[in-house]
């Protein structure tokens, strides 16, 4: 009996990555995926672009990329409300595991959800959601640096950014996976962790996020939305994906903050 004919729970689960739109150029794949979701695109629908003209990052920042040198995509999600607080954490873990599966690089997640190799950023993730009449649509947008034009990072970001090619060469890996393989593994990673979350496995997602965190056990300085600074050692992640810090005034959980500095441990 095939998987589909033995499925008894209504529509069979789809595999993320279909249906799919491939665009040469767009404003932002997150905008395209949100519009598509509002027009009825199913969970797992994927928008991939070669280039974005209005890519955005967290906190309203611009996300710049060179045509053909990045993986830029967004996946449509339809999470139940109870899962929403951890969607971003689950996506971060899934992307991290997907890159590891494709490359064997020691990629980690820097809270809230940058992907880093060492202290340099390899990828950024932006989860955005809309809710109408109780229905939630979310999109998980990922921008991953595959390589640099002329094989060199732009001088203004060379100390803080890296690419898959750069890290593969630095680690002496002789094979750099194709864009298609990286995309396939990363989307599969997102699907696996997202389904685990929605299926009630949020605690396991958080435990895995802690084990893949670049910050747990390190001393950090946070910049809070109020502008204040907070210092302490990162002890873990909360059940809702917040950052837990041991500070001079005790154990505190932060749900929104910027990591200003990380002291090498
Ligand atoms: C960040 O690090 O601040 C998050 C960056 C997320 C960038 C990706 S690229 C694909 C998708 N479309 C966007 O406009 N943003 C996300």
């Amino acid at each position: 009996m095939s998987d589909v004919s033995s499925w008894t729970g209504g529509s069979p689960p789809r595999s993320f990555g279909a249906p799919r739109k491939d665009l040469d150029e767009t404003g932002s794949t997150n905008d395209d995926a949100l519009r598509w979701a509002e027009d009825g695109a199913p969970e797992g629908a994927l928008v991939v672009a070669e280039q974005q003209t209005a890519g955005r990052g967290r906190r309203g920042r611009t996300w710049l990329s060179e045509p053909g040198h990045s993986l830029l995509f967004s996946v449509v999600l339809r999470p139940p409300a109870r899962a929403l607080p951890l969607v971003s954490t689950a996506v971060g873990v899934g992307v991290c595991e997907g890159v590891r599966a494709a490359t064997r690089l020691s990629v980690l997640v820097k809270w809230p959800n940058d992907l880093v190799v060492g202290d340099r950023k390899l990828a950024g993730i932006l989860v955005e959601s809309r809710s109408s009449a109780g229905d939630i649509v979310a999109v998980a947008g990922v921008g991953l640096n595959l390589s640099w034009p002329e094989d060199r990072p732009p001088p203004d970001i060379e100390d803080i950014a890296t690419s898959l090619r750069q890290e593969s060469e630095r680690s002496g890996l002789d094979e750099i996976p194709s864009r298609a393989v990286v995309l396939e593994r990363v989307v599969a990673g997102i699907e696996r962790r997202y389904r685990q979350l929605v299926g009630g496995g949020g605690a396991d997602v958080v435990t895995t996020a802690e084990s893949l965190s670049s910050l747990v056990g390190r001393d950090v300085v946070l910049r809070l939305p109020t502008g204040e600074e907070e210092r302490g050692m990162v002890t873990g992640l909360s059940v809702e994906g917040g950052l837990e810090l041991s500070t001079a005034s005790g154990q505190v959980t932060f749900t929104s903050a910027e990591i200003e500095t990380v002291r090498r441990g």
Side-chain angles (χ1 to χ4, degrees), residues 27-30 52 54-58 61 63 71-74 114 121 123-126 141-143:
S28 156
T29 56
N30 267 24
Q52 294 183 133
R56 60 176 178 273
R58 291 187 308 110
R61 296 190 188 112
W63 181 261
L71 200 53
L72 305 166
F73 69 90
S74 303
D114 286 348
K121 181 163 172 171
I125 299 166
L126 178 66
V142 179

Side-chain angles (χ1 to χ4, degrees), residues 25-136:
E25 184 178 292
T26 189
S28 156
T29 56
N30 267 24
D31 286 339
D32 297 323
L34 273 170
R35 266 195 303 272
W36 198 15
E38 280 159 2
D39 287 349
E43 187 156 82
L46 178 67
V47 180
V48 187
E50 279 288 304
Q51 170 62 346
Q52 294 183 133
T53 53
R56 60 176 178 273
R58 291 187 308 110
R59 298 178 177 272
R61 296 190 188 112
T62 302
W63 181 261
L64 297 172
S65 54
E66 290 289 337
H69 288 277
S70 299
L71 200 53
L72 305 166
F73 69 90
S74 303
V75 185
V76 172
L77 304 171
R78 297 184 176 279
R82 63 175 165 73
L84 196 54
L86 276 179
V87 167
S88 187
T89 303
V91 171
V93 170
V95 174
C96 184
E97 290 176 328
V99 174
R100 282 173 169 242
T103 65
R104 291 180 288 130
L105 288 173
S106 302
V107 187
L108 293 172
V109 184
K110 182 178 176 187
W111 185 90
N113 70 16
D114 286 348
L115 244 67
V116 294
V117 182
D119 285 333
R120 293 193 174 89
K121 181 163 172 171
L122 176 71
I125 299 166
L126 178 66
V127 174
E128 297 179 294
S129 61
R130 306 267 185 277
S131 161
S132 106
D135 280 343
I136 298 171

Side-chain angles (χ1 to χ4, degrees), residues 220-265:
V220 296
V221 178
L222 299 187
R223 174 75 53 196
L224 307 184
T226 54
E228 288 161 297
E229 264 186 9
E230 188 71 69
R231 290 164 188 272
M233 192 188 79
V234 178
T235 54
L237 300 174
S238 73
V239 289
E240 297 213 321
L243 193 70
E244 291 180 338
L245 232 63
S246 170
T247 72
S249 47
Q251 191 75 14
V252 189
T253 301
F254 296 92
T255 51
S256 173
E258 287 291 293
I259 311 291
E260 203 143 277
T261 47
V262 182
R263 241 195 22 231
R264 299 195 151 274

Side-chain angles (χ1 to χ4, degrees), residues 145-166:
N145 306 323
L146 292 171
S147 56
W148 304 115
E150 293 163 28
D151 269 352
R152 275 197 315 271
D156 53 326
I157 58 168
E158 66 183 343
D159 291 336
I160 56 168
T162 192
S163 75
L164 213 68
R165 173 175 291 274
Q166 193 179 335

